[in-house]
């Protein structure tokens, strides 16, 4: 299966001109051998999405709400994102959980609205440093609890809607801002990803789960992650803003059969 690469720009870059220049880097980097998706902040997303089309470059929002219409100041409609030609949405990112108090119950409502509206959610799960320090069994328990809360009520959705959900394992402690750009060990990440995939199949009825790794992925460590076939792709933060990083990550992923 071709790797999926989702480049999360977070709240970057500062200006529309810089965003346009960054889009240009991606337009020149598209690859037939992997799926490339960019996730600019909303203020750039609308503008850049209108500048398409470049075949092979997908667009992803960084959030959506659990309703598509009504008295919800500041909310973004999943349906409107879909109608604007955006296919993906990141949900449950640890930065939203930490800074905006997002809970598994809120993530759950957003996921259900996203898939009901035709968007493909990229849902983030992962343990914090304190949990990580307690060892693998505690980490697995923590992740199982997150998944159970966030993926509730999926049974009434079709298999294709379920399979449209991409899961990202993003250990919070390994995100570049928290770790000083030090990633999880690829073998450990692959082990947790295998555990997540088993749960998705046995407890949630997924058929072909797609699970990405996120946390300090960069041009220096991408090759070592690629030697683990359990990892279906990557959710990239900091490196998504740098031309050399982008080009190397895409090239390495494309070279992997
Ligand atoms: P970094 O690649 O900067 O660690 O960010 C990961 C992330 O949070 C992507 O969503």
């Amino acid at each position: 299966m071709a790797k999926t690469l989702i480049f999360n720009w977070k709240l970057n870059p500062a200006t529309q001109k810089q965003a346009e220049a960054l889009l240009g880097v991606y337009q020149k980097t598209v690859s037939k051998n992997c799926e490339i998706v960019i996730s600019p902040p909303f203020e750039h997303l609308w503008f850049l999405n209108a500048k398409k089309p470049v075949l092979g470059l997908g667009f992803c929002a960084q959030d959506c709400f659990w309703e598509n219409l009504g008295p919800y100041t500041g909310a973004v409609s999943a349906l409107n994102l879909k109608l604007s030609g955006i296919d993906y949405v990141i949900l449950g990112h640890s930065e939203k959980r930490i800074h905006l108090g997002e809970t598994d119950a809120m993530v759950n409502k957003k996921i259900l609205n996203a898939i009901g509206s035709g968007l493909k959610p990229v849902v983030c799960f992962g343990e914090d440093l304190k949990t990580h320090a307690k060892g693998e069994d505690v980490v697995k328990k923590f992740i199982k609890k997150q998944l159970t809360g966030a993926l509730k009520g999926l049974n009434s959705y079709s298999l294709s809607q379920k399979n449209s959900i991409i899961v990202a394992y993003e250990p919070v402690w390994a995100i570049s801002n928290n770790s000083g750009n030090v990633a999880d060990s690829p073998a450990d990440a692959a082990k947790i990803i295998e555990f997540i995939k088993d749960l998705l199949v046995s407890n949630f009825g997924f058929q072909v789960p797609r699970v990405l790794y996120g946390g300090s992925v960069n041009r220096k460590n991408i090759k070592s992650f690629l030697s683990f076939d359990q990892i279906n792709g990557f959710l990239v933060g900091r490196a998504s803003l740098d031309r050399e990083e982008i080009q190397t990550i895409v090239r390495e992923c494309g070279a992997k059969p």
Side-chain angles (χ1 to χ4, degrees):
M1 201 197 289
K3 302 287 179 205
T4 299
L5 278 170
I6 305 197
F7 290 95
N8 177 9
W9 297 9
K10 306 194 179 185
L11 189 53
N12 298 293
T15 67
Q16 203 171 75
K17 209 167 155 196
Q18 290 168 327
E20 217 174 336
L22 193 53
L23 174 71
V25 174
Y26 285 93
Q27 286 173 328
K28 286 193 205 119
T29 314
V30 286
S31 157
K32 283 197 296 291
N33 301 326
C34 52
E35 185 184 17
I36 304 176
V37 177
I38 58 171
S39 188
F42 281 113
E43 63 271 31
H44 301 319
L45 177 69
W46 306 120
F47 165 74
L48 297 180
N49 180 54
K51 286 185 125 7
K52 279 202 301 187
V54 166
L55 222 63
L57 184 63
F59 280 73
C60 177
Q62 291 181 16
D63 194 17
C64 72
F65 193 52
W66 55 75
E67 297 287 345
N68 288 332
L69 197 67
Y72 305 107
T73 304
V76 176
S77 150
L79 187 61
N80 252 307
L81 288 168
K82 180 64 190 170
L83 294 174
S84 311
I86 289 150
D87 288 322
Y88 297 85
V89 59
I90 295 173
L91 295 175
H93 196 283
S94 59
E95 285 152 12
K96 294 213 82 164
R97 295 176 188 261
I98 292 167
H99 301 299
L100 294 162
E102 197 162 86
T103 62
D104 290 327
M106 289 156 85
V107 175
N108 176 244
K109 292 199 282 181
K110 290 182 175 187
I111 293 172
L112 298 183
N113 186 36
I115 57 175
S117 304
L119 284 178
K120 299 175 191 166
V122 181
V123 192
C124 305
F125 300 98
E127 79 283 3
D128 53 28
L129 188 59
K130 225 168 102 189
T131 308
H132 182 69
K134 292 181 182 156
E136 193 182 315
D137 287 348
V138 179
V139 169
K140 285 180 175 170
K141 218 184 260 177
F142 179 92
I143 287 173
K144 186 174 178 185
K145 187 164 175 271
Q146 277 194 324
L147 281 167
T148 306
L151 299 180
K152 225 160 68 187
L154 275 182
N155 287 346
S156 50
Y157 289 79
S158 70
L159 193 58
S160 74
Q161 281 173 316
K162 250 186 251 185
N163 281 334
S164 72
I165 300 173
I166 298 175
V167 166
Y169 171 54
E170 282 214 324
V172 179
W173 56 271
I175 292 178
S176 64
N177 267 33
N178 307 329
S179 71
N181 217 9
V182 178
D184 194 0
S185 105
D188 286 354
K191 209 191 302 174
I192 297 293
I193 285 176
E194 209 161 278
F195 168 75
I196 292 174
K197 284 187 174 179
D198 286 347
L199 271 181
L200 290 173
V201 172
S202 62
N203 291 18
F204 302 98
F206 281 59
Q207 211 172 36
V208 199
R210 254 196 305 171
V211 184
L212 317 181
Y213 168 77
S216 300
V217 172
N218 57 49
R219 69 190 156 94
K220 294 197 176 123
N221 60 26
I222 186 70
K223 245 184 160 152
S224 55
F225 279 102
L226 283 167
S227 55
F228 291 87
D229 288 339
Q230 299 94 322
I231 307 176
N232 299 117
F234 304 93
L235 181 53
V236 181
R238 180 185 293 199
S240 66
L241 305 172
D242 180 280
R243 184 170 51 86
E244 212 182 328
E245 294 279 356
I246 298 161
Q247 288 172 343
T248 309
I249 291 170
V250 172
R251 191 177 58 239
E252 293 296 344
C253 285
K256 178 83 188 161

